[in-house]
Structures are given as structure tokens and as C-alpha cells.
Amino acid sequence: MNFQQFFNDLSSLIPSDRIIQDSLRTLAYGTDASFYRLIPKAVIQVNSEEDIVDVLKKSQKHKIPVTFRAAGTSLSGQAITEFILITLGDGWNGHTILDDGLKIALQPGVRGAQANKYLSPYGRKIGPDPASINAAKIGGIAANNASGMCCGTAQNTYYTMDSMTLILADGTKVDTADPTSVTAFKKQKSDLLNALTDLSNTVKADSELAEKIRHKYRLKNTTGYAINALIDYQDPIDILQHLMIGSEGTLGFISEIRYNTVIDSPFKASSLMFFDSVDLACKAVGVLKQCPIEAVELMDWPALSAVRHHETMSPLMPSLTKGSAALLVETRANSDAELNQQIQDISETLVNQSINTSLNAPFEKDPAITSQYWSIRKGIFPAVGAVRTTGSTVLIEDVAYPVERLAEAVKDLHQLFEKWHYHNAVIFGHALEGNLHFVFPQSFDSVEEQQRYEGLMEEVTELTVTRYQGSLKAEHGTGRNMAPFVEKEWGPKAYKVMQQLKAIIDPNDLLNPGVILNNDPKAHLKNIKPLPASNPLIDACIECGFCEPSCPSRDLTLTPRQRIVVQREISRLKHDKDDEQRLNTLSKDYQFYGDDTCAGCGLCSTLCPVGINTGDLTRFLRQENNNKGERKAIWIAEHFSTTTKGVKLGLTIANAGRYIFGNTLMRTLTKTTNALTRGMVGEWRPNLPKSNAWAEPSTLFPQSNNALKKVVYFPSCAARTMGIDPDQEDQRPLTELIYELLYKAGFDIILPDNLSDLCCGMPFQSKGFLEVAQDKRNELITSIKKASNNGSYPVLFDTSPCVARTLEQGPVSLQCYDPIEFALKYLLPNLNITPTEELISLHITCSTTKSGLADKMILLANTLSKNVFIPDDIACCGFAGDKGFFTPELNASALRTLKSQLPKNTKLGISSSRTCEIGLSEHSGIPYQSIYYLLDKVSQKKQIK
């Protein structure tokens, strides 16, 4: 294989910055959620169908294998390669609502949860509902025929697909919904379509084989190719597009797929039912299958024990006997009356069939309660992963059995676990479909451990295929993990059909070779991903990729998962000392890709199944490298008032430069200065605010000495130094506006002593000066404790990140409020609100999300405006304190889609962080300011009656 000639030919078609060959990013971008590791020769980022066609044609010319990759949440090793990895750029996020929501057209880069968000106003959703739906992209959902807890078989992609646009290995494209495209394709690919028709006729003529195919798909099944397409359809176009579903990128590329959507019933209720044994729970499943039920999730005793510390499970555990099992049951309806009737019918059916639970198990409608139930179920996998031995991985296998034999199967699996010494294995799964997952820690660092895993899988295969005629992979895809067992499950005749399909559609075997079909009987034991101990902050990571959608640097450099991958490799190289050059290269490159462009926002922890905050890792690494800067940090902390005065002077000078030189020249001058000083001087931002010459509230308003309505106001250091945005209509700095707003609401204002020296510590923490940061936090707490009369008065922080930082280590016996909470609790009740008709764009800061206040911020915004727009897929803005000045590309990347999303008549944006608003204003084209400006604008003082 001549890779260099391949790259040379592509260089005129794909920009060089999208052909990635450096050792750090090929390692990081080449990782998926499986326990396998292959490092690609290159990662090519494609932005259009034209890019795909170009790469595929060059692949055919030079016989270079390629693998398509979406989100990389797949668990069976289907999204990795040692050859060329093709990943999706920004050009694949399109969607179109069709037929008033009855259909939706989706490009492969759209995440499943986004698709459902688009459909929500129509009361619809896509059928597949994998547990990874918040991270998994449509390309992967379709290519794996993913299902989920409520999807079953009837609503997976195979059965809910309307049509698709696909591109074959040689670059030929067809849109199956476009008659003109289909006609041209039939002429161009007549041999291929005739071969599919002949193969379909052959299979249909073999009654034994046809019946076996029907029998296999009575269960959820993603093992091998979807050869049911050969008997389900006559038209070779229909056969081809259905073969693409579940083909894991081995037959072609899906550039768009149109789904027939399903009803998203708005009324839901869940019940957590406990039984004295798995047998009794499985008996209940058979009864529930006849009821109006959407989901039944089975959890065995080891699974329940794994989540015994969950706040809902903990008080229940003493009432359960060893060997108990649970079913999490959900029913849905289109009205509350219908839901109540269904609950009654289900309860009566269980009683009539003598199904007795060990604890009272009423159906709950309250989302706060039902979400706790579902968090128990979703917490099982990470709970097992979190307690595994460092260096081992956590495996999740995926089988399906006939529902009527589910109890037998669970018992047999438990016996296998004992035989092979998997004493920590747990079983849970989608019981309505007989779909079980079993999870266990596994080390591959010795021959004995590899043989133990091999022995278990051989016996699981025999049990599933021979005894129960079940599926070895029900919804996680075949991948490399199950490829050696496809023939075992399907038999030689069906396996030969699959080989023929591959030869017809991808004759040169260049699309994801080794996946689904693999002649190596030991393939599932090779290329195991190393997971060496690296840092206690990240060692529990299972590399699932759930964190990635929240990361502001995900499309610029690395995601949290990828940072962990690289750090693990650096740790391995330091320990093994087998490649000093690679170690030095990774360590050097990580400075920009891993450190400089990490916002440290911690949003990754809100999506991580095991709660890892990769921002903590970044701060730890910065702390390790901060020996030279610690004295400077201490001096700044001890002379904080002097420092902020210097910043204000700099803002005054900079704004004078704006009027003298203009934004363009100022950007050039500061960029040059930044380069000459090696990053010591930040770059110019066109929305850089003026200096804030703030004053004491007593100089502006008379104090009423109202003992019942006092508030301690802590203006953040950002608000104290930064005044108004140059494009801001309201010329009052935030501090002055808050004085007026509090006065209007009838509050006396108290400022902490020595205010100009106070800081929550975040500027120091973000740079890794953790001890200095803690000292400043403690100093602030002491001051506001005194000002609030030991917590007697509420304390208002005007910036969300500051209060989040102050409270992040737990309660401080003070009434400290984020501006959102304070407004809802203290300001709205004391003001008359007349909401505006003006369209407002809302940005929810990362600290607001982490603090669990996102819904409250939306509530407040909707109280103040009748027309609130929340841009899609904008999480952390990436300004990250001062990174917007020193690493502006992070802010630009995080907000690159913001401006294009805003409706044309949007004139104002609101947020709750002063520094975030600088970058938001720049990249949106409209001024962003504190939500308190809007609150002040639409509020009036209440008249005393």
C-alpha cells in the first residue's frame, strides 16, 4: 500500500489541515468506546459528499482501506482502524422536518438527542433510543442499527427508515427517494443490482435458510449483515438500502437518512418493582409484555448491589433479600386519563396473574422521582466501571434470548460467571425483548486473563446460539468483538451469503476490513486497548465518549476523552521507556492540544457516567508546571487591589487605542505583541469593555435601613474591573445597574469589607495555583460571613462562575446565591414584571449547568421575555476567564455556529458571566449582557398599598 502516493493525490482535493497524520491526534481521534486500540495512518476530516467521493476514489485507486467514524461511542470495535479513518466535519449537521414531523431527514453528524429536540414541537421522535443517544450520531445509530430501552425491534432504523442517500466504495451515489437518481444508479450499477436480486432469489428459494433468517430476527439481532433484507424486499434498491443498516460502514457511507418518526407520548409513569428472585421477575416480564408497556428493564441482585449507594436504592436495600431482582417499568400515554387507565390495567393484570412484588411498587408520574428510578438503571454500567482495578477495562456484552426462557438464561449466565471467576459480573437489560447486557471488569495483561475471557466467550456463544437459539449481539453491533463468531451463530450457509454480499458491494474489501466478517478466529483477543494507571482523577474513565458533546474544544483540538487517551499513553511511555522520541513528541504537542485549549469548564463531568472532570486533570498538570510562576501568583493575590487597578488602566488605554487605531489595527498590534512576548499580552477583542469606575451604593441611593430586607452584594472582580461593552445600549456598568435593581426591589445593600482585594480564587485555580486559589476563596468567605451577619442575610454574586467556585467544595453556612436563583427567590416577588415581546438569545453558562440551574435560568428568561431563543449545541463558550484573550481560537471554535443560528430579528443576548459575554458578543454579532439588564428593563417597583 502506497500511503504517501494516496496522500499526494488527495492533497489537491482535501486541505492539508484536514489530513491529520501527527502521532498525538491519530492516537486521540482513532479511539472509540470499545476495548480495542488501532492507530490509523491518518485521520481525514470530510465536510461534504464531494469529499467522501474524492477519498473513496483515491482509496480504490491505491487500494487503501478506509473506515468511517461518527461519534465513536460504539462498543464492539467497529470504529477503529490501522489504515485511514474518515471523520465528520461541520458539514454534516443538517436536518429537515418533513410532513409536519411525520418524517425527518438527517445528516450523519446530527446527534440522536438533537434529532429528538428538533421533533419535540411535533410530539414525535426517532425510533432508536440507545443509552448513548446524547452523544451518538445518526451515522453511527443507523450503521449499527442501534435500538435501546423502548425501541425494541419495531422502531429501530431498519424498520423506521424511509429512504437514504448512500455512497458506495467506488464513490457512486444514489438518493433512494429521488426517482431520477435511482434511474441513473440502476443504469450505472446494473451488475450490482442484478447480483443482489439473484442472491435474494436464491435465499428465498432455500426455504430452510429463509425460515432460519425469519427465526433469527424474531429477536433483536445485530450479528452479521441484515440479510433479512434479502427476504423482506423485492426491489434491489430497497434491499441495498436496508443492507446498509447495521453494516457498520463495511458496505458504504450513509450521507443522509430519512426516518419515519414515532409518537413521543407526553404522559409517562414509572414503577420500580422488586421481586424475591430473578425467576419471579422474569415471570412478571411475560405478563407485562401483554400490557400497555413501553419499557421493562431487568436488574439482577449483583446489579442492584452495584448501585446500593444510590440515594433512592440505599434506604431500600435493607428490605431486600440476597438474590432479589428488580424491574423498572414504564408506561406512556397521550393524556393523563389514558395514563391512569393504563396504570390501573397493568396493576390489575399483575394481581390477576398472581405476580407479587416484595415491596410496594406504585407507578410514579413525578419526573423528579421517575428520573431517580432511571438513574439507578443507567448507573449500573458506570458503577461497575468505577470500582474496577486500575489498568483493567470494563466489558459490556450484549445478548438476546426468547423472553419465555429469560429466567433460565439468566441462571445459566450466572453459573458461567462463577465457573470462570467473574464474581463481579452483573446482568441487566431490556427484558421485554429478552435483551440482556452483562458487565464485568476484565484485565488483559496476562495470558491467564486472556484465556479466562476467551473461555467465557466460547461458552456464552455455545449457550446463546445452541441452547437458546438467541443473538450474540442484540444492539451493540458485531464489530471486531463478535466477528469471529458470526459463522457460529448463523451457520455456514448464511455466512456464505454474507460473504457474497460483501464481495458484491465492496469487491476490493476496502471498507472497514475485519469488521463483521473476519477469518481470524482470535481477532477478538487482539489489539486490546492498554489502560495504564495515569492519574487518580481519570483512571476510572471507560472512554465511552459521552463527555464529548459538551466540550468547547471538541472541534478545535481534543475532547475530554481524547485528553485522557493521550495522558494514558504518556504515562505508559514513561513507565515502559520503550519510545523516548514518541514520549517527547506527545508531551510537547499536548501543551497546545491538551492544555492551552482546555477551558477547564468541567461540563464533561455532567455527562460522564463516572463523574470525571477532565478540567481537574488540566489544573493538576498546570500545577505541576507552575513552579516558576507561583511567586508571581502569590504577589498578585496579596496585592489584588493593585492588580485590578492595573487591569482597569489597561482597559482605559486599550479603549483609547480603539478610537485612535480602530479594531482591525488593534487586533494586528496586539497579536504581534502577543507573539513577541510569548503569550504574555492578550490579543485584542473587538468587544473589549471599558473600565468600570464603580462607586459605593450609598453614594447613589439612600439606604432605608430596612432590617428585614438586606442583601450582601459581592461584585465579582470581572464586574468591578469591566464596564460596558462598546455596543451596549444601556451605558450603566453591571455594578451600578444591580444597585438600582436592588434598590427598586426594596433592598438595603451591604458590601463586604476590603472588597477591592476579594476574589473567589477562580483566576488562580484555572491556572493551577490551587493553594493560592483556596486562600482567596477562604478570604472571601470570611468577609461575606461578616457582612451577612453570620449568614443572616442573603449574598448575591453577580456572576455565575464566582458563586459556583465559592460553593464547589460544599456548603459554607451562608446564603450564597447565583444571580439566577437570587432573582427568582428575592427579586421577582418584589417587582412587577411586564415581559418584553423582543426576541432574546439566551446563553446558559457552563457553571450554571454544572450547578443544576439551567432550567431555572430558562424559567427566568421566559418570565422576562415572551420570545426566548436558545441556540443549539452551544454549551461552554470557551472564553474561560482570560483564555478568550490568550487562546481566542478556543472561543471562536466553541461559538462558530452561533451567529448562523440566530434569527434575523435577534437584537440582544443575555447570560450571567461578564467574561463570557465578551466572546458571545463578538461571535454572535449582537451585544450579550447580564440577564439583570433585561430584568431591570421589564420590571417596575411594586407600589405599596
Side-chain angles (χ1 to χ4, degrees), residues 14 140 201 250 302 322 325 337 368 421-422 559 629 696 729 738 774 832 858 860 866 868 871 923:
I14 306 290
N201 292 334
T250 64
K322 185 176 181 180
H421 307 294
Y422 286 95
T559 66
E696 293 280 342
E729 181 179 340
I738 288 180
Q774 188 62 23
N832 290 321
I858 295 171
L860 177 60
K866 296 179 180 179
V868 176
H923 295 291

Side-chain angles (χ1 to χ4, degrees), residues 15-245:
S16 59
D17 63 344
R18 290 199 274 121
I19 302 177
I20 297 163
Q21 296 177 265
D22 62 88
S23 60
L24 184 145
R25 287 184 292 171
T26 52
L27 166 69
Y29 295 0
T31 297
D32 72 357
S34 73
F35 57 96
Y36 299 102
R37 164 67 48 74
L38 289 171
I39 301 177
K41 292 287 190 299
V43 177
I44 299 177
Q45 295 177 336
V46 294
N47 283 338
S48 65
E49 289 180 342
E50 289 72 22
D51 285 350
I52 287 285
V53 171
D54 288 338
V55 175
L56 290 179
K57 286 183 175 180
K58 299 307 178 185
S59 162
Q60 293 292 319
K61 176 182 176 181
H62 298 285
K63 300 297 183 287
I64 302 293
V66 299
T67 293
F68 306 117
R69 154 79 177 271
T73 57
S74 49
L75 296 162
S76 301
Q78 54 266 66
I80 59 173
T81 182
E82 59 191 314
F83 302 112
I84 302 299
L85 187 69
I86 299 176
T87 62
L88 303 175
D90 276 344
W92 301 99
N93 298 320
H95 78 281
T96 305
I97 302 293
L98 304 169
D99 297 345
D100 201 29
L102 295 178
K103 296 180 182 181
I104 186 171
L106 297 165
Q107 288 188 307
V110 177
R111 291 194 300 277
Q114 288 178 298
N116 286 340
K117 179 181 176 181
Y118 303 146
L119 289 166
S120 179
Y122 303 90
R124 312 287 293 186
K125 64 176 182 175
I126 60 171
D129 62 340
S132 59
I133 195 167
N134 289 326
K137 296 179 179 179
I138 291 299
I141 289 173
N144 288 291
N145 199 21
S147 50
M149 289 179 278
C150 301
C151 170
T153 54
Q155 294 184 351
N156 63 24
T157 302
Y158 183 91
Y159 289 109
T160 59
M161 176 187 62
D162 173 76
S163 58
M164 68 168 62
T165 301
L166 63 93
I167 302 174
L168 296 179
D170 63 358
T172 306
K173 184 179 81 168
V174 60
D175 179 354
T176 65
D178 180 357
T180 302
S181 176
V182 170
T183 299
F185 183 78
K186 285 182 175 180
K187 290 180 180 179
Q188 192 174 2
K189 286 294 179 182
S190 58
D191 289 347
L192 183 152
L193 295 175
N194 289 336
L196 287 180
T197 300
D198 291 344
L199 186 58
S200 172
N201 292 334
T202 299
V203 171
K204 289 172 183 173
D206 188 333
S207 58
E208 182 183 0
L209 177 57
E211 180 55 34
K212 181 171 187 174
I213 293 171
R214 293 187 187 96
H215 183 71
K216 293 292 292 181
Y217 284 103
R218 79 202 188 285
L219 302 176
K220 291 171 74 173
N221 193 333
T222 59
T223 307
Y225 288 115
I227 56 176
N228 49 333
L230 296 171
I231 61 174
D232 289 346
Y233 298 96
Q234 301 289 333
D235 190 322
I237 295 293
D238 281 333
I239 293 173
L240 177 62
Q241 67 176 351
H242 283 85
L243 284 170
M244 288 290 161
I245 305 305

Side-chain angles (χ1 to χ4, degrees), residues 786-851:
K786 177 183 177 184
S788 65
N789 190 23
N790 290 318
S792 299
Y793 313 131
V795 182
L796 167 63
F797 288 68
D798 59 20
T799 303
S800 292
C802 290
V803 66
R805 156 66 188 159
T806 303
L807 299 177
E808 69 181 2
Q809 296 175 5
V812 293
S813 302
L814 298 170
Q815 300 181 63
C816 296
Y817 288 95
D818 177 282
I820 307 306
E821 278 195 302
F822 186 85
L824 291 171
K825 185 172 183 177
Y826 290 103
L827 295 180
L828 294 190
N830 290 290
L831 296 168
N832 290 321
I833 305 297
T834 306
T836 181
E837 301 282 347
E838 185 178 4
L839 178 59
I840 305 294
S841 177
L842 171 64
H843 175 73
I844 302 170
T845 69
C846 48
S847 56
T848 303
T849 300
K850 283 180 64 183
S851 300

Side-chain angles (χ1 to χ4, degrees), residues 274 276 301 313-321 324 358-359:
F274 294 95
D276 289 334
W301 177 250
M313 279 300 302
S314 182
L316 299 175
M317 288 300 290
S319 302
L320 301 175
T321 58
S324 295
S358 57
L359 296 177

Side-chain angles (χ1 to χ4, degrees), residues 230-441:
L230 296 171
I231 61 174
D232 289 346
Y233 298 96
Q234 301 289 333
D235 190 322
I237 295 293
D238 281 333
I239 293 173
L240 177 62
Q241 67 176 351
H242 283 85
L243 284 170
M244 288 290 161
I245 305 305
S247 67
E248 300 174 17
T250 64
L251 300 180
F253 178 82
I254 302 171
S255 64
E256 185 176 78
I257 185 165
R258 272 79 67 180
Y259 278 96
N260 294 307
T261 63
V262 301
I263 295 173
D264 184 16
S265 302
F267 294 88
K268 305 172 185 178
S270 297
S271 171
L272 188 58
M273 302 178 181
F274 294 95
F275 301 85
D276 289 334
S277 69
V278 168
D279 283 358
L280 292 174
C282 291
K283 180 183 176 182
V285 173
V287 174
L288 289 166
K289 196 171 178 66
Q290 311 306 316
C291 298
I293 294 293
E294 288 290 329
V296 177
E297 292 294 300
L298 172 70
M299 294 168 274
D300 71 354
W301 177 250
L304 295 176
S305 298
V307 290
R308 62 188 178 278
H309 299 303
H310 186 281
E311 61 182 288
T312 300
M313 279 300 302
S314 182
L316 299 175
M317 288 300 290
S319 302
L320 301 175
T321 58
K322 185 176 181 180
S324 295
L327 296 178
L328 177 53
V329 181
E330 180 164 291
T331 182
R332 300 177 182 178
N334 293 319
S335 68
D336 191 50
E338 182 183 359
L339 183 65
N340 289 333
Q341 185 60 54
Q342 288 180 186
I343 291 172
Q344 182 179 336
D345 292 345
I346 295 166
S347 301
E348 290 177 354
T349 300
L350 291 173
V351 171
N352 292 337
Q353 294 292 324
S354 300
I355 302 298
N356 299 314
T357 58
S358 57
L359 296 177
N360 186 34
F363 276 89
E364 298 285 354
K365 299 179 185 178
D366 185 348
I369 298 175
T370 59
S371 66
Q372 286 296 304
Y373 289 171
W374 284 97
S375 69
I376 292 171
R377 158 62 180 84
K378 293 175 181 178
I380 295 172
F381 179 35
V384 177
V387 298
R388 74 188 193 279
T389 304
T390 300
S392 67
T393 188
V394 58
L395 304 188
I396 178 168
E397 296 297 343
D398 170 42
V399 291
Y401 302 107
V403 174
E404 63 272 14
R405 301 188 68 186
L406 201 56
E408 290 178 73
V410 172
K411 188 178 297 183
D412 285 341
L413 285 173
H414 280 151
Q415 290 175 353
L416 286 183
F417 298 154
E418 288 302 311
K419 176 181 178 179
W420 291 99
H421 307 294
Y422 286 95
H423 305 298
N424 295 323
V426 308
I427 295 176
F428 59 93
H430 319 316
L432 274 184
E433 304 297 333
N435 180 193
L436 298 179
H437 302 311
F438 54 96
V439 179
F440 52 91

